[in-house]
Amino acid sequence: MTNQPGKRLRFGAFFAPFHNNRTSPTFALERDLDLIKWLDHLDYDEAWIGEHHSGAYECIASPEVFIATAAERTRNIRLGTGVSSLSYHQPLILADRIAQLDHQTRGRIMFGVGPGQLIADAYMMGVDPQKLRDRMGESLDVLVKLLNGETVTASTDWFTLNEARMHILPYQENLEIAVASAISPSGARLAGQYGAAMLSVAASSPKGFEALADSWSICESKAAEYSQTVDRKTWRVVAPFHIAETREQARRDLEYGLMDMFNYFHKFGGDLFPQVKDLDEAIEIWCTGGLGAFGVGLVGTPDDLVDHIKNLQQQSGGFGAFLSLAHNAASYEATKKSYELLAQYVMPHFQHSNDNRTASLEWAASNADRFMAEYMGGIERAIQQHEEETRQKQQKAG
């Protein structure tokens, strides 16, 4: 069941998102919508929107509501829940919302699913954090059936379905479901079991990077066990970065908000996340040890990012899409420039969009002397022809 991803690597962004608690939430939401519109303008393939209910920074509570607005402001970019926390939702209600959204967007929806990332969310809802993954498996099992048009009767200790069926199926014949996978193998196992896509959300963290080497084989093995088919082209790998035209400029850009982000992670995650004394230390930690699931960052130039993605490809054996973990460590203008540089210089490398242009340039250059000789010869013949015609007219006139 081994396979290789397609020739064209897709690009996108994964929005938790991250906004400090001094920023107006109205302003923060608008900025995220504007950035997705910018990504659509730059021809990015997809954007994924998270769901969180505590901690203030990751301030989107309903990815479906957000996506409905984003879809109205964009033309081509595909939009995914990144991810819907299955442990917190009655499956039939969630399936109905996703199907409706798929119709409203004319099939631009991707359904990303996960157990729920923030323990504070689970605590407020009275959900045992140790049961989050069990709940996710129970929910996903019936969601797949419901979205396929089946009638489901099921009973667990947290939801009941009695002859449940969706009265409106998704717009897409095969709505893509993507399972979040971090460090543990549970996400890869579920993706394989249901023939789903996989979202490696901590791919650049030290443990997440190490897990990349085995993630696909785990997914394939589980797919074989359940007679499912999986495809590397549906595998997304998420990593944070910020690039500029020079490494020095990229580091200066992070003066805007990287320290603030470090302070947030320390407050929210406690001693698992380090306190830093200055920007240099913050960049050093971010680019080496990372920030937990936030991953190891890349701060540099487009060429540095090309090498970074190549490293992820080599470690994983290949995937279908690279997603930026969106952040606000740089100003909005610097962030937009970072995504623009990726579109201008990084995308062409992995999408082979300039292969024919390069070949054409090299062919033209290698034949330049011959072409120029023929060109100049043509000019010379035209001059001679003109002079001959002029002499003949003068002779007739004389």
Side-chain angles (χ1 to χ4, degrees):
M1 295 181 64
T2 57
N3 55 62
Q4 292 299 317
K7 183 178 180 181
R8 183 187 184 278
L9 184 67
R10 302 186 310 281
F11 286 86
F14 191 96
F15 289 77
F18 297 104
H19 295 282
N20 67 52
N21 59 336
R22 300 185 305 279
T23 301
S24 158
T26 308
F27 181 86
L29 292 167
E30 193 65 27
R31 269 288 157 85
D32 289 331
L33 288 165
D34 285 345
L35 187 52
I36 290 178
K37 185 176 180 180
W38 179 241
L39 297 180
D40 185 53
H41 172 72
L42 294 174
D43 203 30
Y44 279 74
D45 297 282
E46 51 196 58
W48 299 77
I49 316 303
E51 174 191 347
H52 302 90
H53 303 281
S54 60
Y57 268 53
E58 299 165 276
C59 56
I60 293 177
S62 172
E64 302 95 341
V65 172
F66 184 94
I67 287 170
T69 300
E72 290 294 313
R73 301 188 187 185
T74 56
R75 296 178 60 186
N76 300 308
I77 194 167
R78 292 175 59 75
L79 302 163
T81 58
V83 295
S84 295
S85 299
L86 299 191
S87 307
Y88 308 147
H89 301 284
Q90 214 283 353
L92 178 62
I93 302 301
L94 180 58
D96 277 337
R97 289 204 304 265
I98 294 299
Q100 177 181 326
L101 192 56
D102 198 34
H103 282 270
Q104 290 178 206
T105 62
R106 300 300 191 272
R108 280 199 279 154
I109 290 303
M110 303 168 292
F111 185 27
V113 299
Q117 178 69 18
L118 302 183
I119 301 303
D121 291 358
Y123 177 81
M124 290 193 299
M125 288 179 253
V127 179
D128 182 351
Q130 296 186 19
K131 293 185 177 180
L132 289 175
R133 284 170 175 77
D134 292 338
R135 280 194 171 204
M136 176 185 170
E138 292 168 342
S139 176
L140 183 58
D141 185 65
V142 300
L143 277 166
V144 169
K145 295 173 183 176
L146 290 168
L147 291 167
N148 284 334
E150 298 179 36
T151 300
V152 179
T153 295
S155 180
T156 71
D157 61 359
W158 65 286
F159 71 79
T160 298
L161 294 174
N162 295 317
E163 300 180 28
R165 63 183 298 169
M166 298 175 64
H167 60 156
I168 298 175
L169 291 176
Y171 180 88
Q172 300 175 79
E173 184 176 357
N174 294 299
L175 174 70
E176 185 174 22
I177 298 176
V179 179
S181 175
I183 296 169
S184 78
S186 58
R189 288 168 59 89
L190 280 175
Q193 180 177 342
Y194 293 100
M198 189 163 61
L199 271 167
S200 291
V201 296
S204 68
S205 69
K207 290 185 178 179
F209 182 80
E210 182 180 343
L212 278 181
D214 297 321
S215 292
W216 192 252
S217 61
I218 293 171
C219 181
E220 282 190 320
S221 176
K222 209 65 179 175
E225 181 182 339
Y226 283 85
S227 300
Q228 297 283 0
T229 300
V230 290
D231 192 331
R232 279 184 182 267
K233 288 187 291 185
T234 67
W235 187 10
R236 280 90 170 174
V237 167
V238 184
F241 69 85
H242 179 75
I243 57 174
E245 291 172 338
T246 66
R247 292 175 181 174
E248 292 74 21
Q249 183 60 55
R251 293 176 70 91
R252 285 195 296 271
D253 288 345
L254 296 180
E255 293 174 2
Y256 175 85
L258 186 60
M259 288 289 289
D260 189 82
M261 188 169 291
F262 264 77
N263 290 335
Y264 158 69
F265 274 98
H266 181 71
K267 287 180 180 178
F268 201 71
D271 293 337
L272 291 174
F273 299 95
Q275 285 186 308
V276 293
K277 63 180 182 299
D278 55 34
L279 180 64
D280 287 339
E281 184 181 8
I283 292 176
E284 175 65 22
I285 292 174
W286 190 31
C287 293
T288 53
L291 284 172
F294 191 58
V296 174
L298 183 284
V299 181
T301 66
D303 287 341
D304 293 328
L305 185 55
V306 167
D307 291 339
H308 189 57
I309 296 172
K310 285 181 178 179
N311 195 28
L312 289 168
Q313 287 179 320
Q314 182 177 3
Q315 176 71 3
S316 66
F319 45 84
F322 174 78
L323 307 180
S324 162
L325 183 59
H327 56 79
N328 282 281
S331 71
Y332 184 56
E333 290 306 315
T335 296
K336 288 177 66 179
K337 183 64 176 178
S338 179
Y339 282 111
E340 182 180 346
L341 289 170
L342 186 151
Q344 188 174 5
Y345 298 115
V346 180
M347 281 187 190
H349 181 89
F350 293 100
Q351 296 178 342
H352 307 281
S353 49
N354 283 328
D355 286 3
N356 275 26
R357 294 180 70 199
T358 301
S360 179
L361 174 61
E362 291 175 351
W363 173 78
S366 65
N367 288 278
D369 292 341
R370 175 168 64 89
F371 293 157
M372 187 56 65
E374 293 176 357
Y375 175 73
M376 295 305 297
I379 294 175
E380 185 62 31
R381 283 192 295 274
I383 293 172
Q384 291 174 357
Q385 183 179 2
H386 171 73
E387 291 176 346
E388 180 62 26
E389 289 177 356
T390 301
R391 280 196 299 272
Q392 289 178 1
K393 289 179 179 178
Q394 290 175 341
Q395 289 175 355
K396 290 180 179 180

